């Protein structure tokens, strides 16, 4: 509380500050969320970086090579099983490995295709919505923090102070009464 009874205050002068620690922490958290969502939007609008596409192409080439090695191994194993030199169990293992590596290649190709096509208009639109929601939540939290600062609505003199430091103040409870210095009515007796 910055004023006491009898103090003169100017219009828009800060008179008291309510404890705003919880609201300030929430405001900081929402600021970080807004920053993150805005950054995500910028990334989507810029599209996939060329180095990401290069890395994903390399992953496809590597997956193709591993799949070809597994196919060659499966064919050799198949021939040796037909000749009776190896068991059927080894052929099943080689086929399983080939199928697994084919799945990895398909996944790498899908990842590359996604990177090359970039984000869809719908993904960008959804991210715009997330930014808008984050901004609204931040602005609401900012307003709540601003409401913890008690400001004089007009210039005047503090006539009454209803609260002391550390008091719990209920919403819409009066904290002060001000007498406007420029609006005094003088009543004289007859």
């Amino acid at each position: 509380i910055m004023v006491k009874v009898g103090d003169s205050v100017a219009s828009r002068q800060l008179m008291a500050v309510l404890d705003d620690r919880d609201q300030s922490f929430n405001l900081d958290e929402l600021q970080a969320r807004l920053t993150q969502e805005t950054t995500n939007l910028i990334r989507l609008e810029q599209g996939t970086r060329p180095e990401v596409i290069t890395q994903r192409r390399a992953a496809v080439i590597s997956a193709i090579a591993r799949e070809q090695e597994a196919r060659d191994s499966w064919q050799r194993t198949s021939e040796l099983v037909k000749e009776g030199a190896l068991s059927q169990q080894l052929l099943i293992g080689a086929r399983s490995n080939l199928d697994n590596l084919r799945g990895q290649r398909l996944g790498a190709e899908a990842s590359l295709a996604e990177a090359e096509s970039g984000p869809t208009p719908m993904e960008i639109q959804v991210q715009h919505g997330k930014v808008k929601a984050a901004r609204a939540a931040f602005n609401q939290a900012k307003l709540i923090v601003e409401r913890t600062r008690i400001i004089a609505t007009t210039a005047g003199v503090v006539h009454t102070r209803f609260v002391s430091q550390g008091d719990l103040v209920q919403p819409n409870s009066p904290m002060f009464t001000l007498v406007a210095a420029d609006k005094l009515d003088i009543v004289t007796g007859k």
Side-chain angles (χ1 to χ4, degrees):
I1 298 176
M2 283 82 168
V3 296
K4 59 185 182 304
V5 173
D7 286 352
S8 293
V9 295
S11 179
R12 308 294 304 150
Q13 178 179 333
L14 182 64
M15 297 176 63
V17 177
L18 303 178
D19 183 3
D20 67 351
R21 290 176 288 186
D22 288 341
Q23 293 86 352
S24 292
F25 291 142
N26 187 45
L27 183 65
D28 291 343
E29 181 180 326
L30 291 171
Q31 173 67 54
R33 179 175 156 226
L34 176 58
T35 300
Q36 181 62 50
E37 295 297 356
T38 302
T39 300
N40 291 344
L41 176 61
I42 291 167
R43 285 184 185 146
L44 283 174
E45 289 177 334
Q46 289 176 345
T48 309
R49 296 185 325 266
E51 61 269 20
V52 171
I53 293 173
T54 300
Q55 184 268 337
R56 292 188 181 173
R57 282 185 182 141
V60 167
I61 291 168
S62 176
I64 289 171
R66 286 191 311 273
E67 181 185 7
Q68 185 58 49
E69 287 176 20
R71 181 176 289 107
D72 293 345
S73 175
W74 174 74
Q75 287 174 343
R76 283 190 305 274
T77 303
S78 179
E79 291 171 7
L80 291 171
V81 167
K82 285 179 188 174
E83 294 174 4
L86 294 176
S87 71
Q88 188 71 27
Q89 187 69 21
L90 290 174
L91 181 61
I92 292 170
R95 182 61 193 200
S96 176
N97 186 42
L98 174 60
D99 291 343
N100 181 38
L101 291 171
R102 179 176 295 131
Q104 288 180 16
R105 176 189 48 85
L106 292 172
E109 288 172 347
S111 181
L112 173 60
E114 179 182 34
E116 288 176 334
S117 67
T120 66
M122 179 63 78
E123 289 172 320
I124 292 172
Q125 183 179 1
V126 166
Q127 191 60 39
H128 273 287
K130 288 180 180 181
V131 169
K132 188 174 181 180
R135 185 173 291 118
F138 172 75
N139 288 336
Q140 179 68 31
K142 188 175 172 184
L143 180 62
I144 290 170
V145 169
E146 288 171 5
R147 288 181 178 161
T148 64
R149 281 137 180 67
I150 309 306
I151 307 291
T153 56
T154 185
V157 176
V158 178
H159 180 263
T160 312
R161 188 173 109 179
F162 297 104
V163 295
S164 298
Q165 189 77 27
D167 286 354
L168 178 63
V169 179
Q170 296 299 321
N172 300 318
S173 298
M175 295 177 66
F176 306 95
T177 55
L178 292 179
V179 176
D182 62 345
K183 296 181 181 178
L184 290 178
D185 290 333
I186 298 177
V187 179
T188 60
K190 291 187 188 188

